[in-house]
Amino acid sequence: MADSQDVERLDLTSVLKSTHQDLRSKIREGGNFDEVWNEHLMNSTQRHMYADSMKTLATVFWQEPPERCRFHWILLNLDEHLRNKKLIRFIEKDWRRHCFINNIECSPIDFTGKQWCKDLYNFDKILPIDLTPATETVLQCDFVSVSLTDFVPFPLHNVVTELPLGQFDIIVLSLFLSYIPCPKARWRCVYKSHRLLKMNGILLIATPDSCSVYKSAPVMRHWREEIEAVGFRRFKYDKLNHLHCVGFRKIRSTPEELSTCTQCLYLRTEYKNINQ
């Protein structure tokens, strides 16, 4: 029984790996990202095999204890920063830093963020999206090319083609950025998340990597620099067994000078190659 389960797990994992390898190899060989991505969108068989394999792995084979589970990490950090008012302390710290840098008398503020945090924790609109949903409760959306508009009414249709600017309190990118085969396209997805979030909105990222913290340190430092240049500040980082879990908060409505960053998010293997 154990052997048959191992075989099934390996077969399912090979579907994920082959999909990633196919996309990334086309980019490495000089393929245009838009063309490679559009070709992938047209390949519904490959996408549905990937989605079904991921669902089975997540629900049957990847039953991790809470301290190693990305879902637990996401919920724990939302609870910690909203219910326990950590987010308020971060915002107040930013205000004191702003006053110090600009030589402003740091007087107490009538902090409306306290009510904002209370309202945020009681959010009643959740928009679960995926490129190829494996369940009916998830809406289909190509986040890479989805349009951003001033207003999109809820509820949305089963296929999401537009998202409203500055209307989201929380965005979670779970095992998503590593799916994108192009470093610049990954960065653009983070930039898009910044535009969709309200001020002080939270971006949570879970991305796979089985290497140690030491080996992953350079690329995660690179991610932090690139993402913070967009207008975020990192407030949380944890290395789980096979995952990097990172939390960012939107601290500026517009990015600073982007010429100081590469506007790319490299995976560990990509980062290693460009620095050799």
Side-chain angles (χ1 to χ4, degrees), residues 5-274:
Q5 286 187 335
D6 288 341
V7 171
E8 182 183 4
R9 179 177 56 82
L10 291 173
D11 287 343
L12 294 170
T13 304
S14 68
V15 173
L16 308 189
K17 290 181 177 180
S18 63
T19 301
H20 292 309
Q21 290 171 355
D22 176 54
L23 292 170
R24 293 171 190 172
S25 64
K26 290 176 181 177
I27 296 297
R28 284 197 303 269
E29 292 166 3
N32 175 273
F33 170 74
D34 291 333
E35 294 177 358
V36 171
W37 191 248
N38 287 331
E39 181 182 339
H40 181 56
L41 295 179
M42 296 294 292
N43 192 344
S44 61
T45 301
Q46 183 187 49
R47 289 191 294 106
H48 281 93
M49 285 182 61
Y50 185 100
D52 292 339
S53 299
M54 178 65 81
K55 179 184 176 183
T56 303
L57 285 166
T59 57
V60 177
F61 294 98
W62 292 346
Q63 296 298 309
E64 298 278 10
E67 65 272 13
R68 295 188 301 190
C69 174
R70 70 182 188 276
F71 301 115
H72 177 78
W73 184 90
I74 290 167
L75 294 174
L76 179 66
N77 278 278
L78 290 178
D79 182 78
E80 188 176 78
H81 287 83
L82 302 179
R83 187 191 294 275
N84 296 333
K85 306 299 188 292
K86 273 197 173 183
L87 184 57
I88 293 175
R89 294 198 291 274
F90 280 128
I91 298 172
E92 289 175 334
K93 183 178 179 181
D94 281 347
W95 171 249
R96 291 193 297 271
R97 182 187 291 111
H98 169 76
C99 292
F100 176 78
I101 292 174
N102 294 282
N103 197 26
I104 301 173
E105 182 179 354
C106 188
S107 58
I109 55 176
D110 178 16
F111 194 63
T112 56
K114 293 178 181 179
Q115 181 62 40
W116 177 84
C117 283
K118 180 181 178 182
D119 294 341
L120 176 55
Y121 192 78
N122 295 320
F123 56 84
D124 59 353
K125 293 177 181 176
I126 299 176
L127 183 65
I129 60 173
D130 199 349
L131 179 63
T132 312
T135 65
E136 295 181 355
T137 56
V138 179
L139 306 182
Q140 196 280 324
C141 177
D142 176 17
F143 193 73
V144 171
S145 58
V146 67
S147 300
L148 307 187
T149 61
D150 290 330
F151 176 74
V152 177
F154 285 90
L156 298 169
H157 299 293
N158 290 336
V159 178
V160 179
T161 58
E162 296 179 327
L163 290 172
L165 287 161
Q167 295 298 310
F168 290 88
D169 300 298
I170 302 160
I171 292 178
V172 178
L173 302 180
S174 179
L175 308 187
F176 169 71
L177 292 175
S178 59
Y179 189 101
I180 308 301
C182 173
K184 287 188 177 295
R186 289 186 207 113
W187 185 89
R188 289 198 297 268
C189 287
V190 170
Y191 184 39
K192 182 175 289 186
S193 299
H194 180 273
R195 298 180 65 196
L196 290 169
L197 283 167
K198 297 177 182 178
M199 183 60 70
N200 291 307
I202 292 173
L203 173 66
L204 299 179
I205 297 173
T207 192
D209 189 346
S210 297
C211 287
S212 66
V213 174
Y214 174 77
K215 284 188 176 181
S216 304
V219 72
M220 294 314 296
R221 183 165 53 249
H222 153 72
W223 276 44
R224 179 177 185 174
E225 293 170 353
E226 295 294 319
I227 294 174
E228 288 192 340
V230 174
F232 286 106
R233 176 167 290 140
R234 194 182 76 173
F235 66 82
K236 186 71 172 180
Y237 170 76
D238 286 307
K239 178 64 172 73
L240 307 188
N241 272 15
H242 304 288
L243 292 166
H244 297 285
C245 295
V246 199
F248 292 91
R249 178 171 58 86
K250 180 175 177 177
I251 62 169
R252 294 188 302 274
S253 57
T254 56
E256 292 183 342
E257 181 56 55
L258 292 178
S259 61
T260 60
C261 68
T262 64
Q263 298 186 25
C264 291
L265 284 180
Y266 293 102
L267 302 179
R268 184 175 50 81
T269 52
E270 297 167 342
Y271 191 76
K272 181 180 178 180
N273 291 336
I274 66 170

